[in-house]
Amino acid sequence: MSETTHDGTVAVTASVPPDEGLPADRLAAKYGLTVSGARPSLVEYVRQLWDRRHFILAFSRAK
């Protein structure tokens, strides 16, 4: 990688990415990622339904 300094010269640095060598599960945990197809628990699912109840009712009446 190269960067131009304030005096116009080019400084070449060979830096290693900070995540180099981390396994996938650690990378996911570090960045707060979850499995996209994971199903929520029953309690979480019911909570999501309750939170979206106004939309569900309006959508069902509109169709």
Side-chain angles (χ1 to χ4, degrees), residues 8-37:
T9 60
V10 176
V12 178
T13 58
S15 62
V16 176
D19 298 333
E20 187 73 28
L22 285 178
D25 59 341
R26 286 227 172 146
L27 279 172
K30 179 179 178 181
Y31 292 105
L33 302 176
T34 59
V35 177
S36 63

Side-chain angles (χ1 to χ4, degrees), residues 38-56:
R39 293 183 180 179
S41 66
L42 180 60
V43 173
E44 178 63 19
Y45 181 72
V46 171
R47 188 192 65 75
Q48 289 175 2
L49 281 176
W50 184 253
D51 288 344
R52 299 173 182 153
R53 68 189 181 279
H54 300 295
F55 171 78
I56 294 168

